[in-house]
Amino acid sequence: MGTLAGKVALVTGAGQGVGQGIALALAAEGADIAVVGRTRARLETTCLTLRERGVRAEAYVCDVSRTETIPAVVDSVVAALGGVDILVNNAYDGAYGRLLSMTEDDFRRGFHSGPFAAFAFMKACHPHLRRNGGGSIINLVSSAMVRWDPTTYGAYAAAKQALRSLTRTAAAEWGADGIRANSIAPHALSPGLKSWTETNPEEAEAFRRTIPLGYIGDCEQDIGRAVVMLAGPDARYLTGATVPLDGGQAHFG
């Protein structure tokens, strides 16, 4: 019996990368998983791996930027899996680039898939989290919010900073309901970052040297296991926090 046996976790962007790693880590502790994302084939592949670990896993195709569809997704999860105890808002689809090169639609995109989508999932999940005696929300933000040089990261950092603030407010307002809300700011070897490191080995090595622990985190073992801790009983008194999972690179003053 794992520390999360009997719990249901909803993880967005869980078809690959960090979201998949988080889903696998939660399943290793016994949580059943609602695997949410845009590409059914990837979601089903994740579900197959989760079921091999002995938990229930169901796939839900959802473009999180279409926030009007989110309440129905949550209703489907509750109907199939019996509730929601853990919500992980990982999905994000935004633009990068210098501010003067960016259109208003580019800038808005990260907000729709980031804080707007997270807000919709948090509101839709709130009654289920409360009904089950409280639960845990983990929202993914970024060290780009405090990056020493924010050039080309402006829209991304702005959306993530908004999500960080939203998380803190939920922690304050929903603590009385037994609901905890925290943010994590990870560096992880997702498929995209792994491809970049292989294509740009010299730049990747320079980047690695800026991380005191000397490596880029593993999606499951470094990021997923930390989420397990945050969602579980060992972190029952932690809420409203931003946890850097970046090997010590960023300074969150």
Side-chain angles (χ1 to χ4, degrees):
M1 294 290 286
T3 59
L4 301 177
K7 303 294 186 182
V8 174
L10 189 163
V11 184
T12 70
Q16 64 177 350
V18 175
Q20 185 184 68
I22 290 171
L24 292 171
L26 292 168
E29 291 297 327
D32 297 323
I33 312 293
V35 182
V36 179
R38 290 185 299 186
T39 307
R40 179 168 291 280
R42 289 176 177 170
L43 301 180
E44 294 293 355
T45 297
T46 298
C47 285
L48 181 61
T49 305
L50 292 168
R51 290 169 190 147
E52 289 172 350
R53 298 195 177 193
V55 303
R56 293 182 299 167
E58 299 293 338
Y60 299 89
V61 176
C62 175
D63 178 350
V64 302
S65 65
R66 296 182 57 202
T67 55
E68 72 278 6
T69 69
I70 288 172
V73 171
V74 173
D75 287 343
S76 296
V77 171
V78 172
L81 297 177
V84 178
D85 303 284
I86 300 161
L87 170 64
V88 181
N89 284 302
N90 163 69
Y92 175 82
D93 178 25
Y96 300 85
R98 291 179 176 269
L99 297 179
L100 291 179
S101 71
M102 193 168 295
T103 67
E104 290 189 8
D105 285 342
D106 288 337
F107 193 79
R108 289 191 187 101
R109 197 168 82 228
F111 279 83
H112 285 299
S113 64
F116 288 3
F119 177 61
F121 271 108
M122 290 162 67
K123 283 192 70 178
C125 287
H126 177 273
H128 307 291
L129 295 167
R130 182 180 58 189
R131 185 177 303 118
N132 290 345
S136 180
I137 297 168
I138 296 103
N139 292 329
L140 273 74
V141 295
S142 172
S143 60
M145 301 182 305
V146 295
R147 186 178 171 84
W148 60 94
D149 178 7
T151 302
T152 75
Y153 289 93
Y156 176 60
K160 292 296 187 177
Q161 192 69 268
L163 181 54
R164 184 188 187 192
S165 180
L166 173 65
T167 308
R168 174 67 183 132
T169 301
E173 294 185 358
W174 298 351
D177 298 321
I179 298 170
R180 297 183 297 107
N182 293 291
S183 301
I184 61 169
H187 277 332
L189 204 57
S190 62
L193 184 53
K194 183 177 181 181
S195 176
W196 176 81
T197 62
E198 293 169 350
T199 305
N200 305 277
E202 293 183 5
E203 292 178 48
E205 176 58 21
F207 176 76
R208 186 193 63 76
R209 287 196 297 267
T210 68
I211 301 173
L213 289 183
Y215 71 99
I216 300 170
D218 179 80
C219 293
E220 180 179 355
Q221 295 303 317
D222 294 309
I223 311 307
R225 291 302 306 173
V227 170
V228 166
M229 182 276 292
L230 288 172
D234 288 344
R236 71 176 196 169
Y237 201 52
L238 181 64
T239 194
T242 299
V243 180
L245 298 176
D246 61 0
Q249 185 193 57
H251 175 61
F252 283 78

